[in-house]
Amino acid sequence: MKSRTRIRRALGMSDHTLLIGNVGRFEPQKNQIHLLNIFSEIHKRCADSCLILIGQGSLEESLHRRVAELGLDRQVIFTGSIYRVEDYYAAMDMFVFPSLFEGLPVAPLEAQCSGLPVVMSKSCTDAVNINVKKNLIIDIQDSDEHIANKIYDWYQCVPKDRKSSVESSQFSMAKQIQSFEKIMEEPLE
């Protein structure tokens, strides 16, 4: 059984449920509280949707409280830390990363390598956006409703194939091999 199907069955959701994911420490900079508010707005437009939060941290209790306040107890899933996060990427339909500030975040890169369309805040460096055609950059200063509408409308148009974003970028295995071969053919000085 494929990871997507296996994980979704374990979570009790159908293949048609829109599953939005986030992986990261539950700390202020990662901005999951804002993500919950955005998801609440998305859920108003798409009742068959869920949000999965993978990680742990000092804000976990606050996040649980906010979920209860929003009445989303059945739509938001907390997994804690996961060893094989790639199985969960396979189950997701999109990855949302609303960080307030970042250096070089790994999670959006992993998500793109898994073929996911990624929504990330402007605070992420351009180096993380390896598949410009499949990703959306948001301004987290915009209203929750505006961001949610932008994400939902964008998702309706984004290509749904799960071919890895890396395969069609400058970081594909074939291109990396060509670069390596070129380096190896150059004479040593």
Side-chain angles (χ1 to χ4, degrees):
M1 181 183 317
K2 290 187 175 186
S3 295
R4 178 178 176 86
T5 304
R6 182 175 45 79
I7 296 295
R8 281 176 170 259
R9 280 189 185 163
L11 296 172
M13 69 181 61
S14 79
D15 195 48
H16 304 291
T17 301
L18 173 61
L19 182 57
I20 299 169
N22 175 271
V23 176
R25 294 175 292 111
F26 298 158
E27 300 298 334
Q29 96 179 58
K30 300 300 184 180
N31 208 15
Q32 285 102 344
I33 290 280
H34 194 92
L35 176 55
L36 291 174
N37 297 332
I38 294 166
F39 173 70
S40 177
E41 294 296 327
I42 291 172
H43 188 67
K44 290 175 186 175
R45 288 190 67 181
C46 179
D48 189 14
S49 60
C50 287
L51 173 64
I52 188 166
L53 297 174
I54 299 172
Q56 57 189 43
S58 67
L59 294 180
E60 189 164 353
E61 197 173 299
S62 298
L63 292 170
H64 280 279
R65 272 196 309 273
R66 184 64 183 143
V67 167
E69 290 167 3
L70 292 168
L72 296 171
D73 297 299
R74 299 183 120 178
Q75 290 78 31
V76 178
I77 301 158
F78 290 88
T79 66
S81 293
I82 297 291
Y83 174 69
R84 292 187 48 90
V85 73
E86 64 271 15
D87 291 342
Y88 285 80
Y89 286 134
M92 295 174 194
D93 294 303
M94 81 170 82
F95 183 83
V96 181
F97 198 74
S99 287
L100 296 170
F101 56 91
E102 284 293 338
L104 183 65
V106 175
L109 289 170
E110 291 174 339
Q112 289 173 88
C113 289
S114 296
L116 281 171
V118 174
V119 177
M120 59 187 119
S121 66
K122 287 182 176 181
S123 71
C124 292
T125 174
D126 289 342
V128 177
N129 191 7
I130 61 176
N131 190 357
V132 177
K133 294 178 185 173
K134 208 172 184 179
N135 296 338
L136 175 66
I137 307 300
I138 57 170
D139 185 344
I140 56 173
Q141 302 304 318
D142 289 339
S143 72
D144 299 334
E145 183 178 12
H146 177 79
I147 293 171
N149 287 334
K150 191 172 182 177
I151 291 171
Y152 187 78
D153 293 343
W154 161 81
Y155 184 72
Q156 302 309 305
C157 302
V158 75
K160 302 297 188 287
D161 72 5
R162 291 301 295 260
K163 183 177 179 183
S164 170
S165 302
V166 174
E167 292 176 39
S168 58
S169 77
Q170 67 193 23
F171 303 106
S172 71
M173 183 63 74
K175 289 181 183 172
Q176 291 302 306
I177 289 171
Q178 287 173 349
S179 295
F180 182 71
E181 287 173 342
K182 187 176 178 182
I183 291 169
M184 294 305 291
E185 291 172 356
E186 293 177 5
L188 294 174
E189 295 179 14

